[in-house]
Amino acid sequence: MKDRIEELKKELILDATKMSTPEEVEQFRIKYLSKKGAIPALMADFRNVPAEQKREIGQLINDLKAEANEAINTMREKIASGPDTSLVGIDLTRTATPLPLGTRHPLSLVRSEILRIFGSMGFTIAEGPEIEDDWHVFSSLNFAPDHPARDMQDTFFIRRGQDDVLLRTHTSSVQTRVMESHQPPIRIVCPGRVYRNEAISARAHCFFHQVEGLYIDRNVSFADLKQVLLYFAREMFGPETRIRLRPSYFPFTEPSAEMDISCMICGGKGCTLCKGTGWVEILGCGMVDPNVLRACGIDPEVYSGYAFGMGIERIANLKYRVRDLRLFSENDMRFLHEFDAAH
Ligand code: DAH
């Protein structure tokens, strides 16, 4: 009996939503409440309900009846008060109240732009782990075991020992991973986060982001490198940009260079940004050292290549004039919203 009432209740609720005309209300009344209707039929069977259940079942039937009456009354009132005018004058095609949207992080914007520019020159994206071993971060890249450059990069070690586990200090480790698993031609850019044990200040942080580039093929020359970097600088900082390469040292490239671009603020005349020199440094680069190729299973007699690495924060600083590196990781909405208009 209980189940029957339950079933009928479901049906009644559904039917109630379907009424809209006086004829439909009448049909509903007949179906549930007329002499031959479903609720009087329940009442007729009420006699057979065992005495101890009468109270409960009786209540359920009464409730159902009340529900049917209520549905009929509500609908009659609705019909009497005329058509529903509550939506008249409301423009249903209007867009909803805008939700507060976030903005893209300036480092994401710059990262995407760097990848877009190199992508347009045929570089594909490669990534590697942030937790690395000594081989991929140092040894394969021609750092001698006691090379001071290992200290130069203030490594965070996770486990010291024969096989060090550490947080990568640069994305050059991805070069090794790709060269170990692929034969040339290789043409990749590798974006990622890197870590160094530095005191946090406006100009240094214990983590930051880099994009590494690597091109290995037959007959790759320094001139190729220079041309690719010039194209990059002009796409990134404007067509008037000039570049200059200064000799430098990295264990994994020979020869090595640092690249400056003409100061985008003063155009090279000298200002506070470029400290009066007219130039600002943006990346390190060079021809991949044959020792590195050999360590990664690539024959330096057949192949040559170039590599470069740049800090994304550094490029973002120059592009957007951000003076304090910490802003990039503090998530201050006032700072982040400044980039709404930037793109
Ligand atoms: N790994 C260097 C650093 O973190 C940046 C770099 C310099 C990468 C020269 C390169 C390169 O691939 O050729 O300071």
Side-chain angles (χ1 to χ4, degrees), residues 153 170 172 175 196 210 212 250 252-253 284-286 307-309:
Q153 297 201 339
H170 56 181
S172 303
Q175 285 189 24
R196 291 186 195 176
Q210 292 186 325
E212 187 83 13
F250 299 102
F252 33 92
T253 43
C285 60
F308 54 86

Side-chain angles (χ1 to χ4, degrees), residues 135-209:
W135 169 254
H136 291 94
V137 177
F138 296 123
S139 298
S140 64
L141 294 167
N142 205 32
F143 286 76
D146 53 355
H147 199 291
R150 287 176 194 246
D151 295 335
M152 199 167 86
Q153 297 201 339
D154 292 325
T155 311
F156 280 119
F157 288 95
I158 292 173
R159 193 177 69 211
R160 293 296 320 238
Q162 274 244 295
D163 32 52
D164 286 343
V165 179
L166 46 94
L167 293 177
R168 66 180 177 193
T169 57
H170 56 181
T171 44
S172 303
S173 51
V174 187
Q175 285 189 24
T176 301
R177 291 201 171 265
V178 173
M179 285 192 278
E180 280 174 339
S181 55
H182 294 75
Q183 279 297 303
I186 292 170
R187 186 157 36 181
I188 51 166
V189 270
C190 322
R193 181 174 289 175
V194 301
Y195 301 82
R196 291 186 195 176
N197 188 2
E198 303 243 15
I200 297 172
S201 71
R203 318 196 75 238
H205 212 296
C206 58
F207 66 81
F208 59 100
H209 301 81

Side-chain angles (χ1 to χ4, degrees), residues 94-153:
R94 235 181 81 179
T95 46
T97 319
L99 295 170
L101 278 186
T103 52
R104 293 188 68 196
H105 193 280
L107 294 180
S108 296
L109 293 172
V110 172
R111 175 184 183 272
S112 307
E113 180 63 0
I114 296 169
L115 297 180
R116 183 196 66 77
I117 297 167
F118 285 105
S120 75
M121 292 186 274
F123 286 78
T124 54
I125 297 170
E127 288 179 306
E130 292 179 13
I131 297 176
E132 266 292 6
D133 50 33
D134 174 274
W135 169 254
H136 291 94
V137 177
F138 296 123
S139 298
S140 64
L141 294 167
N142 205 32
F143 286 76
D146 53 355
H147 199 291
R150 287 176 194 246
D151 295 335
M152 199 167 86
Q153 297 201 339

